[in-house]
Structure formats: C-alpha cells, structure tokens
Amino acid sequence: MSQIFHHSTNTLARVTIFGGVFILGFVSWALAELDTSAYATRATQAREQPVPFSHAHHAGGLGLDCRYCHTTVETSGFANIPPTKTCMNCHSEIWSTSPMLEPVRASFRTNTSINWVRVHDLPDFVYFNHSIHISKGVGCETCHGRVDRMPLTWQDASLRMQWCLNCHRHPDRYVRPREDVTMMGYEPAGDQEQIGRQLVKQYHIQDARALTSCSTCHR
Amino acid sequence: MPDEQEVLEDNTTRAVIAPGYTFGTVTDQIASVVLTKHQPMFWVACFGVAFSLLLLFLWAIVLLMAKGVGIWGIRTPVMWAFAITNFVWWIGIGHAGTLISAILLLLNQQWRNSINRFAEAMTLFAVACAGMFPLLHLGRPWLFYWLFPYFPTTIGVQPNFRSPLVWDVFAVSTYGTVSLLFWYVGLMPDLGTLRDRAKNRIGKMIYGVMSMGWRGSAKHWSIFETASLLLAGLATPLVLSVHTVVSFDFTIAILPGWHSTFFPPYFVAGAIYSGFAMVLVLAIPLRKVYHLEGLITRRHLDNSAKLMLATGEIVAYAYIMETFLAWYSGDVYEQAAFWHRMTGPYAITYWVLITCNIILPQALWSKRVRNNTPVLFIWSLIVLVGMWLERYIIIVSSLAQDFLPSSWSLFQATRWDWATFLGTIGLFTFLFFLFIRLLPMISIFEVRTLLPQAKVEEEVRG
Amino acid sequence: MSDLRKKLDLAAVRARLEGARGREYWRSLDDLASTEEFQDLLEREFPRQAIGWSEDENSVDGRRNFLKLMGASLALAGLTACTKQPVEHIMPYVRQPEELIPGKPLFFATATTLNGVASGVLAESHEGRPTKIEGNPEHPGTLGACDPFSQASVLQLYDPDRAQVLTYEGEVRSWAAFLAELRNIVVRQRLKNGAGIRILTETVTSPTLAAQLHAVQQALPAAKWHQWEPAGPHSARTSAMQAFGQPVHTRYNFLNANVVVSLDSDFLASGAGYLRYAREFSARRRVRTDQTTMNRLYAVEPMPTATGTKADHRLPLRAGDVEEFARALAAGVGATNGPQSGQNGDIYKWIGPISRDLLANKGASLVIAGECQPPIVHTLAHAMNAALGNVGKTVIYSDPVEAKPVDQVASLQDLVNDLDAGAVDVLLILGGNPVFTAPVELGMRDRIQKARLRIRLGLYEDETSEVCQWHLPEAHYLETWSDGRAYDGTITLMQPLIEPLYGGRSVLEIVTMMTDLPQTGAYETIRSYWASQHTGGDFEGWWRRAVHDGLVADTALPAKTVAVRGDALAPAAQAPQAGGSLEVVFRPDPTIYDGRFANNGWLQELPKPVSKLTWDNAAIIGPGTAHSLNVDTGDMLEVSYQGHSLRAPVWIQPGHVNGSVTMHLGYGRTRSGRAGDGMGFNPYGLRTAKALWHDTGLEVRKTSGSYLFATTQNEHALDTRRHIIRQGTLNEYLKNPESVHEGAEVPPRTLTLYPEFKYEGYAWGMAIDLNACTGCGACVVACQAENNIAVVGKDQVRRSRAMHWLRVDAYYSGDPDNPAIYNQPVPCQQCEDAPCELVCPVQATSHSSEGLNDMVYNRCVGTRYCSNNCPYKVRRFNFYLFSDYETPSLKLLHNPDVTVRSRGVMEKCTYCVQRINYAKIESEKENRKVREGEIQTACQATCPTEAIVFGNLNDPNSRASRMKAEKLNYALLADLNTRPRTTYLASLRNPNPEIEA
C-alpha cells in the first residue's frame, strides 16, 4: 500500500505537538510585555502640545519650584494645570511677542482655555490624590521622573497597577524627607532602606495592608 | 457486508455481542457508516434539527453579548438560574462516558468495549456545552481570563483561591483535557483503519493526519495499551472529583438548601445517573438505525439500566436525607427552605422532579421494562428531565426565598433562557451527529477483541 | 412606559421603505420621519437615564444596541490586553477664581421651597457643577436634615426634558422679544389700570416677590393676583379665619410634648417644617441607658403613613370620621361639651383613655390636625390645645408665613369667574400647573383659553404650557437668586450655583419686568429689597453673612396670643358622613407630591413609605373593602364620583381603613417629560373644589383587565423566628432590657475557620435606631445622589432589579386591618466574616484594613456569586448598561468621587468610602486623627430623625460605639455569625396601659 505522507511529516507532527506548549507560554509573555510597553502606556513618548512648553527650561533651567504653577498639589487631589494668568505673570513681560506664545496670549485675550493634551492619565476608576502623597514624602520625581530634563513632557512610568503596588507595598523604599519632595535628582543621604523606614514611622505612613486595601485607590 | 440472517439478535445468550461476527464483518459494519456517500434520513433529519437549534444558540449569544445578562430572567435575589443549572446538568451527563471508558476498563468489564467510544464522545461534547456556561453567565464575559492565575500580570492581582468558582475552572478544564486525550488516543487505531479503507485521497489524507502514522505494529500496540491504561488511571479520580468540586459551588455558600455536607456524593451519583440516561437515549436509536443490535446488545442496555437504577436509588436516598436533616437541624432557614420547596411557588416543579427521579425509575426493577427498548428510551428521557429539574430546584428555589423575606422574589425564565438551553442541546446533538458521520462510533479494534476468533488467536499465541 | 407607546422598530422602517427607489425613496423616508411612531423610535433610541431602562429584553435592533454589540466585540478583541487609554485633554482656567481649588468641592447655602415654605440646604459644587444637596445645619427648618424632594432637585436641574427655549405658539423667541411684548401689554393696560391683567402664582412667602407684586398692583391697581397650590394647607388657613378671625400660622414644638394626638396628620414626613418636627419628635423617643422616658403618639388616619408607623396606638378611621373623633376628644378633654360616645364604636373606643392621658399631661401634650382634614378639625385641635394649656408650650401661633394668605380655592374660583366674564386680557401663570391640578369642575384647560393672551413661566412645557401662547423657561432654584420664609417665618436666602442652563428666568424677574423698576437681574432686586428693609449700619456685612448662612438669624415670626371664638365650634351644618357609601380620599403623593416631580426618575423610583410601590399610584383600599368588593391587587376598577370617572388599579394596603379609597395625586401626567408621562392615573379627574381631600359617594365597579405594579418588596410578613425586627414595649424593656432579644442566639466567634482581622487604625461601623426611623426614604435618595446610582425604570423594578444600595424594608405584623408596621433601613452590613468576600473568584470584593467590604467595580467580572451568598441581599447588579453615559446634562450630575458603574458589574454600599477617604486624607495632612462626626455618610447626613449613626468603633466614645453598647443593640441575622458592622437598636413602643394591658 502506498505511503500517503512523506517520511518527514513525522518530525513535523512531533514539532507541532511539543511546540504548542511553548507557543502558549510565549504568547502570554508577549501580551504582558505589550501591556506595559510604551506603545500601550504611552510612557516615554513626548506629547504634542498647543504650546511647546518645556519643563526642562522652566523647572530645570530657571529652577522654578513645581508648586509655583501646580499650586494645588499640596492641598487637593488634583495638581492643577496653571491658569493662563500664571503664564502671563511672566510672559506679559518676557517673550511677550514670541509667536510661539501666541496661543497663550490668545487664551488670555479671548478668555478661552488652552487645550493641553493630558500626559498622565489614570483610568477613571482610579482615585489618585496628589496632596497626600506630597505630605507623606513621595517626591514628584518618584512618579514623574526627571521632569527638569523634559523639553516636551512625557510620562515616565508605566502607571500600571503593578507599578503603583511597588510603592504601596514598600513605601520605605521610595519616601524622602518632605522638604526634598520637589527636588529633582534627589539622592538619599545614606541608606534609603533605613531612612525610609524612619520616615515611614515619622510621617505615620500606613502599613502595607492599609495601603493595599482596594478602597485606598478604587471607589 | 454480513447478511442480516447471520447477525439476527439472540435474546437468550448473555454474550456481549451477537454470534456470527468475523473481524471483517465487524470492521465492515462499523466503518461503512462513515465511509459512505449517502446517509439515512434519520441522520439528515436529526442533523438538520440540531443545526437550526445551534443557530438559535448563536443568536441568543449575540444578544447576550450585545445587551447583557439582563435578557435572562435572573434578578435579585435569584442571580443564578438557567445558566448554572445547565452547567451542572451537562457536566453531570459527561460523567457516564468517563466512567465507562476509564473505570470499566480498569475493572476489565468487556461489555464496555462497544459503547465506550460514543460514550466518551458524548462526554466531550457535554463538557464542551457545560464549559460554555460559566463564561456566558459572566456579567463581563470578555474578562473571563481573570479567573485563571496567569503570569506575568501587569495588575499584580491573582484570583481568589478561596472561591469555589476558581476550583471549578481547574476541575472542568482538567476534565475536558483528559477526556479529550483519552478519547483521541482510543481513536487512533480505528483512524488507521479508516485511513486504509478510505476511498478518496482527501479522506486518506485527513484520517492519515489524525491517525498520526498508526501502523498497528506490535510496538504501537504496546505503547497504546500503556497509554490508555495511564489515561484511564488519570480519568478515574476525575469521575469523582469534578462533580464534587462543582457541588462545592453550592455547599460553600451559606444559603439554606445549598449549605450541606453531603452534596458531593449526592451530586456524583446524580451525575452518573443522568449520564447513563443520556447513553441510553443515544444508544437506543443508533443501534436501531444503523442495525447495530448485534454490537450494542440487550446486555449493554440492561447493564446501563441497572447502573441507572443503582445511582437513582442513591439519589433518592440523598433527597430523603436532605429533607430529614433540614428538619432535624432545627435551623429555621433550612426548614423554611425545604418547606417552600415542597409547598411554595416551586412546589409543582419539585414534585415533578421527585416523580421523574425517584418514583418512575423504580419500574427499572422489572426485567421486562429493562428489556423493552422503547420504554427504556422514554424512561431515560424522563430521568434526564428529572435531573435537570433537580439542579433547577436546588439553585432557584433556594435563592428565591432565603433569609430576609423583604428581598424575596420569584424567578421567571425569559424566552432567551430557553433559547440558550435548547441551543446547547442543539450544539451537543450537532457535534454528536458530526461524530457519527466522520468517526467510527464504535471502537472497531476493541470490539474485535470480543470475537471468539480473538480468543483463538490468543491461545495460538500463548 | 414603552408598552404604552406605539412601537416601531428598524425592521418596520425597512418594510415601509421596501420597494421605494430613487427620489420616491427619499420622499417616503420624509413622510415616514414625520410619523409619530418614527419620532417615538428616535425617542427610544435617545438616552434615558432620567427615564430608566424601558426596553423589553427581546429587542436587539436599534442603534444603541448595535453600538453595544460592537462594544462587546471590541471588548472581546481587547482580550489582547493592550488597553490603551484614549487621548484626554485638560482645559485649565484662564483666570482661576480664588476660592476654587480644582478637585475640592465647595458648599453654598441656598434653599428649596415647597408650597412656598423654604427649607435651607447646602449645595455641593464641583468646579461649578452642583452635584448634591445637604441640609443646612444652621437652618431652623431643616437642622441639617433634608427631604427627598430637595435631595432629588439636582436631578431636576439637569433633567434633559426641562423646557429649554422661550416659545410663542411653539416658535422660538428671544427674551428681548418677550420683554418688548410684555412692556407694551403693561403700557396698554395702564389705560384701564390693568383691569385685564391676572397673575396666577403658587403660594408666595418671598418678601421680595411680594414687594414686587405689590409694586405691580400699585402701578396697575385693577390687576389681580391669584394664588393656587393644589396640596397647600387650605384647611388650616380657613380654620384660622374661622377660629381666630384673622390669618394665623400654627407651628409646633415636639420637644415639650409627652403625648401627641395626630388627627390624620403626617407631621413626620410631610408638611411645612416636618424635618424639624421629626427631629424633635424622635429626640423624645430615643431610649438609652441615660434616657428612659419616651413620648406617646396616638395616630388617627385612613391610610398608613410614615407617622402612622411610629404610632404607639394607631386607629384607622375614614377621613370623614376623623371630625367625629375630634369632636368626641374635644369633649373628652373639656374643650367643648359634646357627646363622648356614639353608634360607631371604632371612633369612640379610645376617647376615654386618650383624653385622660392628655389631661394628665396638660401643657406637655399636643393635638395636631392634618393638612388634609377640614377646617373644623383644625379648629377643634386649636380648642383642645387651648384647653390643655399647650399654647405657647407645644403650639405656637404667629402671623402667617405666607406673604398674602388667601382662600386659594376662592381665589381660583374668582379667576374663573373673570375668565368666563371675558374680563381677562392677559393671564400670567407664573409657576404651578393649574391646568393639571385645578379642581376638575373648573375645567381649567378650556377656561384658561378664554384669556386673550396667556403667558406661562414653568420648568417644563407641561399641560398648562400646552394652552398658553407664550412659554417662558423658568430658572431652577439652583440657577437664580431668590428668598422665602421658613416654616417658622425665618427669612431664607437662595443663591444660584450655576448659570441658567437654558437661559431661564425666575418668577421674580418676570414680575420685575412688569414694573417700572430698573430691569436688573434677580440679584440686584433681592439685594436692593433687603437693603431697603435693613435697619442699622453695615448692610454689606449683614448681607454677606445672610447669603453665607442662607438665612437671617432670629427672624422667626414672634409668637402671638389668639383665642378660639366659641361660635367656630358649632356643629357642622350637615352631620358627619354616614358610613354607608364608599369614601374617596385624595392625598399628595409621598414621592412626586402634587405631580411637580413626576419627571424625576429618582423620586419615581423611590419606594413609597409602607407600600414600597414605585412608578405608580393606585386605588388603595383596606383588606376588608377588598373582600367586600371581591377584588385583588392589580384588578382594574372603574371609580366614579359626582359624574366624573376613571379607571384605576387596586392596591390592597394592610392597615388601610375599610370603606374608603385613597388615591395619591400627581400621576397620570401627559406632558411631564419622558419619565413621568403615562405613569399611573390622574385622580385630579375626580377632585372637586368642594371635596379637595375627601368625600363619600364614590362608586366603584370592577372592570376587566389587570395591572402590573412595580414594588421593591413583595413579602411583608414578619417571621418572628428570624428575629429580623426586634421590638418590645418600654415597660418590658425597663423591667428587663434583654427582653427584646428573647429567643435570639448569637454563636461564638470561634465558629469561623478564618483568623480574626486586626484593626490598628479605624474600624468603621454604623448603628441604626429602628425606634427613630420613620421610613420616609430621604436616605435612599441621598444615597442615590451621592453614589451615582442609576435609575432603572418601572419594567426593571418589576424584575426586582432596582439599584438602590440602601433600601428601607417595611414589615407588618398582627391584624391585617391594623398591623404593627416596622421600617428597617438595610445598607450593606459590612460583615466581619463576610460571605461575599469568600466566594468572589477575582477578589473584586475584599476586606479593607478598616473593616469595610470593599467593592472594586473595575475588577468585577459579574459572576454574581457574592450576591447569592449575601444573606442581606444588599448587592445590586448592572444587568444592563443602566448608567447613562450619553446625556450631556446628566454627565454634570455625577459625583466625580464615585465610579460610574458599567454593565455586568456588581455594586453596593461601602459606607460612602469616598467621604471616608476624603476625611482621612485631610486629617493625615494635618497629622491628626479623624474627628468624631467629621465623616457623615450620605444617608446619615440627610436623616431627619438621626436614626443612622456612623463612626469609628475603635473609639469607645464615638456615638456609634455608644449606641452599639446599648442593650437594645442587635445584629440582623446574628445567628449566621456574619458579625455585621451595621447593627440596629430594637424598636420600642410606649402603649397606654389603659388601652393595652
């Protein structure tokens, strides 16, 4: 009786059988990677803005304190985007004719908001509160990265839940003294582990069980 | 083809298969069902019905995805109803297949040989139907994968392993996988046969691929024997474990009517009960239409009926104990729950179920009933209905009237509840008739071993 | 509701267009588009939060469903995990207001009015959007509590069905055009002193508005101002004139009352100042280790009300028999000398004991007559209170709160006469809905059209607007400045929180338009009026303070002494109604009042006290009457009275007096909006000026057909073995505090397999005092507003799919003709050993470090196992996409601190965790603990009787802890060992030993 298949098909059969297992593993790994990738999270992607505002220049170069513009960061959950008025405080004097700043002046003239593109955008079911993080000694840099080196602002971290949990499970690895909260390029004076543990005590930072309770972030 | 006189059925002997068969005739008769151009009207008709039901199922699912589980009759407090009832029912039906193929194999019960193939197929298709419901009944089905533990995760949360639903995920998926493997391995020699007998090239190709180069060499046979024994060993505990775990879905809950320690044995018995009912419902028409009375003999039907009877008695015992304990516990809620079952809004359903599951099946004590195939067929149908109602009563009546009267509310099935249920029956039948058409519904090589000639050869060999 | 509409689905549309080709195709499309069915189709496709989910589960056609189908499939595609956020934008202020901090709510004092009487509230504003109403603690009328109507008023503000444009004969006009028109009307009318002008308003208490109207009448002396309020205190007014010969306002002080007799008065859940009365009344019932006395309430009423459920002795009497009862009681306490017995035993059986009880508490008792009782009953009450020396102690008389108290029925009749005489050139209907609410025999719909020009100011284009040429969109109270007087006359100021969404104007502004005063906005008008009234210096400071507080302190009307004239008590001309024929009883609806709230989904879906009926009114009868008529709940009746008749479905209400039929007004609206239209039937169709509230001579006939009601509770019988409601009498309790718990068992803690949770920081808990709860339902609406809870509509409520996180159960026990009725608010019990947490496969609900059963909506996959395993059934499931993501105006309504739940997700109460977190964060920033009382859950904040108390159980001195330490404290279904964080204080009655040994 004639062979239907060539001998090589045996090998093919074996490969497909065993291969299946590995393919499954690979796919799940790939998906997870994709989910945290810059493509999905937009992390590290500089965003086009109506005005090419440079943190590198204002925070880095001029050394403006974050709180000069983001005034409510210590009092409210929402670190406000400065009103056009704030921009005009300076820019009615300096660069007052720069075409680059025309949208700002237009906004001020016509009393219409500047339409910024949101860079850090958490899902609507996550309730992040800036003020409490600031008051517990979580540095701006810890989440936003070296903003003072961003000519155009981008999101530094993945902002995935796993990433949040890193800190909520071990705050001592990340907290810094309150006075250094807005400092860029902060270096712990000594062993972070030890300083952190001491700060956690000092600032009455809740234990991991409280910090990882669902309702801490989700309502 | 064997001429009919030779294989006329013999009521007197207790032989597993009728005399007069040879290796050739067995193979011919079974393979011919598959390797032919035209099918009997019976097949076409059933397949047509099944297919239209399948379409209904698809429509129901589209609607479900589009609008949400609100299209069903579920409500507060009856959050589970048809979906879970069907799930438990189908899973239960699956059990007979595994029991026949695995346990009876280990117990070396030869009569199983001619029914194990389609019984296993039945198991697979039943599990397939069952497996769909836990997904379909989710509020957000597209997130079903959250029920599996998976790594790496980007949200740092894993399933709650204290929840019986997570146990279900494992139990059912294991069951499905093992049954599939067992069934497929068992198929390989026959696939080989079909490949060799297939007329056209495509047929040869397909069966060829599926038979994975089976040549029937001694080496193949020995590996094959070991494999099937191992798989049988794997499958045996599943017969008990799967429905035990399924019953945990209820026993873990504090709901009166659910919260009970003897659900596992009770459920397993019930499962096998309904399983064998389904085996008979499938076997009886098949042997008639395809003239397989010689291979699936009265003996098979009789044994299955006896098994039904036995498990049926266990179930009956469970009902009685359940009710007794409810009364004996002195627990207000338990007592109320059972009182409601028997006298409340679901009383009719309850008594119908008692009739179907306990009263009528007692007739199976009589040999005359067991030997009367049409009656046996109807009786099996009755048991299937009864077992479905049992799950329905356990789930719905317990939920509808639990602890606080203020939130009591009665379940009313919508047309989409029925569409989904009938739909799965359609899917099941659809798959099953495809199976009949494309694969040998009876294990050729295993039936051969039952032939006297086989014994002779053994002696010669030995 | 949809079942009442003609239906047309896309299939039918296609069918109609079948065969049409080319230009013909488009033509047929056009005339199709003009058909009512097509409009209706569009309407059904239109977003519907305010209306609720109304589709039947079988139709898959339609745009929205198609989109959902796409959504679902996309979501399935989304399995590939890469959930990429859409690009969002931020629009900062150009010039940021100083007081505003983005992300932090602001609260402004303002007030709501009902029948003109103002209740002070605080409105919460998020970046300029009012989202929630709370009571104003400073305000004498509310004391921080809030009624359901005020709670739901935010939904009314954003209601997409509100009138959005100014129209003349259906065509859009500008305000300028109207102003011009109005001005030259006024100029023309000058020639005849405005003899042709009639102004019809609702009851007015606003001093400024009154002044403006006065100014109008100065300029146009012959112009007339009428007032009409369908459910106003007509009898009280008339009674005052008869009894005292002058308009007198009566208010009460329940703090001093040991014994209260309610003559068909629902003072705990309706009427002016009820929030305060409820607070005071319950304060005298709060039995604790340190307070062992309790007041006693006798209630006489036809239909069980919230007040009736609190009564220690409730006597169901036909509304018409209450007068006879009052006369007997008056004789009993020596106020009059009449018979103290009669043939009707029911009326007289308790006269002796009650009057002895009253006499034993002279000066510390109170007889209160219901607003729906005839004047004579009020007069008798006045006489009794006088005889009992209660005046000045529990009863305070003062000048009227209303700017111009008039007999409104007469006032309306007067208007009708003028209309018939053709004397009316211009009729301004400012607010109200007279066409719908006027007595039936006046035939207002046709009568009004006898006025040559009809101008209507209203929130909605309703039945009245239908017959008016001009319709002016009215400004919602949250959109404009106004003022008014509280129940005790306290001057109350209202300020806007948002620019008028649809350019509406207030009554004040329209009236100002008629004067020659400068056409300034409402603000200037109000301010200048008060400037003119202000005596003493620093008006600015005074004004700022008044606006800030929302009221002017110490402006309650002073008490005055008045005496009841003897002749006022003369027996009525016609003897009290013979008991023969059926009695018809009209009452304002507990949730949609006189119909003005008919389009408010929250109020429509708010279960009515006692009956738990939603979205409907009914012909409510007692079990006895049902038996004699041989009808059952849901049967249709043909009821006719004085030649008018209508069809109404039967509702059998245990505790309802036999021999009368109660109908709640306000339903049967035809032009209220999408939520209210076609709901229930319209009893105004039977209501005559002679019998505003009740009369005998009702004929009923059982007709074919049956009716499906939507209730949130089907089973009311109390199974005592379950110890759901624990209760007893005061004496039993004082003898043995444990008596209320008889037979109940609490299993040992060690029964659970799981380790105990430890709580270092806070341990939140709640205690609910069943003795205080009146079942008014304010908490339910408050919860709905605070937590973005969806409205599901009648059809879904019928399928037991209402979404309320907090429900108020009503249980009946005893004789169905007069059962004891208990109210039990049931929020999530936040169990220590929570059955729900155990069974959720994805940990979507899990125990927080402070003892809450957190619910994470975005993690929930919807297995619904948690609900099955919840013995309290407090979990709610989104069977469909109930939340409205589409309607623009309703987006503004949402509380930004609470996730809006999507389809297929379980949700439930978490003790307003958003409020907890807010307080915690604020306190931690200040390095301190959360203070007692700093966190108030929405239900607690709004509760008139302070029945709900929330607090930190780790603090033994918190009010919650102290309540839980009480002997009365018990856990619902304690025997299940779920150990709930929410516990109840058993309900106590204080029966009169003479009546109940």
Side-chain angles (χ1 to χ4, degrees), chain C residues 618-754:
Chain C
I620 304 171
I621 58 176
T625 318
H627 185 266
S628 54
L629 293 176
N630 181 31
V631 291
D632 199 354
T633 295
D635 290 351
M636 292 303 291
L637 284 185
E638 167 96 40
V639 295
S640 40
Y641 168 74
Q642 308 235 329
H644 309 282
S645 75
L646 48 81
R647 296 183 80 236
V650 174
W651 177 273
I652 300 175
Q653 178 58 58
H656 190 287
V657 68
N658 292 323
S660 57
V661 180
T662 301
M663 304 180 192
H664 285 125
L665 301 170
Y667 279 93
R669 294 284 307 270
T670 54
R671 283 178 65 108
S672 64
R674 276 166 288 159
D677 286 353
M679 284 291 157
F681 65 96
N682 178 6
Y684 284 114
L686 298 183
R687 194 183 186 215
T688 63
K690 187 177 137 296
L692 279 182
W693 298 118
H694 59 81
D695 190 12
T696 52
L698 182 77
E699 271 111 44
V700 304
R701 192 169 56 78
K702 185 177 176 184
T703 63
S704 61
S706 68
Y707 194 84
L708 283 171
F709 287 110
T711 59
T712 54
Q713 188 179 351
N714 308 318
E715 185 69 48
H716 294 273
L718 199 54
D719 177 353
T720 51
R721 295 180 310 161
R722 302 185 180 211
H723 306 284
I724 293 167
I725 301 281
R726 302 192 187 175
Q727 47 83 27
T729 67
L730 181 61
N731 291 337
E732 291 167 5
Y733 168 74
L734 292 177
K735 270 197 232 80
N736 166 20
E738 294 298 333
S739 58
V740 291
H741 305 302
E742 220 149 70
E745 59 154 338
V746 179
R749 290 182 162 210
T750 53
L751 274 188
T752 172
L753 293 172
Y754 292 101

Side-chain angles (χ1 to χ4, degrees), chain B residues 231-291:
Chain B
L231 283 168
L234 272 177
T236 308
L238 288 179
V239 177
L240 301 179
S241 72
V242 176
H243 232 52
T244 306
V245 172
V246 169
S247 74
F248 286 164
D249 290 350
F250 306 106
T251 58
I252 295 298
I254 64 175
L255 207 68
W258 283 16
H259 190 58
S260 151
T261 46
F262 67 86
F263 264 29
Y266 164 17
F267 267 49
V268 174
I272 297 166
Y273 191 29
S274 56
F276 270 95
M278 184 58 96
V279 169
L280 286 172
V281 168
L282 296 173
I284 289 170
L286 284 182
R287 70 196 280 269
K288 187 108 212 81
V289 174
Y290 292 102
H291 312 295

Side-chain angles (χ1 to χ4, degrees), chain A residues 10-181:
Chain A
N10 292 346
T11 340
L12 197 63
R14 294 200 185 83
V15 171
T16 44
I17 293 169
F18 293 109
V21 183
F22 295 104
I23 290 165
L24 267 180
F26 173 78
V27 166
S28 59
W29 170 82
L31 287 180
E33 280 306 303
L34 187 61
D35 192 32
T36 43
S37 69
Y39 162 74
T41 63
R42 296 212 187 82
T44 73
Q45 296 174 1
R47 309 292 289 277
E48 201 59 37
Q49 298 286 5
V51 183
F53 176 84
S54 161
H55 277 97
H57 171 63
H58 291 83
L62 304 176
L64 289 179
D65 186 286
C66 307
R67 287 161 293 192
Y68 178 77
C69 300
H70 304 291
T71 47
T72 64
V73 72
E74 288 170 310
T75 50
S76 161
F78 177 69
N80 72 317
I81 304 301
T84 315
K85 176 85 176 55
T86 313
C87 311
M88 293 305 282
N89 289 348
C90 303
H91 287 293
S92 52
E93 306 299 327
I94 27 174
W95 296 102
S96 54
T97 56
S98 150
M100 209 166 52
L101 296 180
E102 178 48 26
V104 180
R105 291 191 293 273
S107 150
F108 202 61
R109 268 201 316 278
T110 59
N111 198 26
T112 51
S113 305
I114 304 173
N115 189 351
W116 299 101
V117 173
R118 184 159 198 158
V119 177
H120 294 83
D121 181 16
L122 289 169
D124 297 354
F125 49 72
V126 180
Y127 290 86
F128 176 85
N129 186 305
H130 274 96
S131 60
I132 192 63
H133 286 83
I134 295 294
S135 79
K136 297 290 178 186
V138 179
C140 307
E141 179 189 3
T142 312
C143 305
H144 294 287
R146 292 303 301 271
V147 175
D148 60 329
R149 294 182 185 163
M150 299 182 185
L152 275 177
T153 317
W154 63 78
Q155 168 187 326
D156 189 59
S158 76
L159 299 190
R160 287 284 184 253
M161 181 166 163
Q162 181 74 68
W163 172 83
C164 303
L165 286 172
N166 292 340
C167 187
H168 275 226
R169 284 178 177 147
H170 308 285
D172 51 329
R173 294 184 191 164
Y174 300 89
V175 290
R176 54 173 76 180
R178 281 200 189 110
E179 53 275 18
D180 299 338
V181 159

Side-chain angles (χ1 to χ4, degrees), chain C residues 609-626:
Chain C
V610 187
S611 70
K612 300 300 155 193
L613 185 61
T614 66
W615 291 99
D616 264 313
N617 62 343
I620 304 171
I621 58 176
T625 318

Side-chain angles (χ1 to χ4, degrees), chain C residues 373-384:
Chain C
Q373 279 298 321
I376 182 65
V377 174
H378 288 254
T379 313
L380 286 162
H382 292 313
M384 284 188 257

Side-chain angles (χ1 to χ4, degrees), chain C residues 313-330:
Chain C
H313 294 289
R314 180 175 174 277
L315 178 62
L317 278 190
R318 288 163 40 129
D321 293 341
V322 174
E323 177 183 347
E324 193 178 345
F325 176 91
R327 286 188 181 282
L329 191 61

Side-chain angles (χ1 to χ4, degrees), chain B residues 65 137 142 163 249 403 409, chain C residues 79 722 800 839 864-865 903:
Chain B
M65 292 297 157
H137 98 294
W142 50 91
S163 166
D249 290 350
F403 295 99
S409 179
Chain C
L79 282 181
R722 302 185 180 211
S800 308
V839 296
R864 309 186 295 287
Y865 200 171
R903 179 246 279 195

Side-chain angles (χ1 to χ4, degrees), chain B residues 208-229:
Chain B
V209 171
M210 288 171 75
S211 63
M212 292 185 167
W214 174 270
R215 290 192 311 283
S217 70
K219 182 144 172 280
H220 283 187
W221 277 114
S222 71
I223 295 175
F224 173 82
E225 292 295 340
T226 337
S228 23
L229 274 180

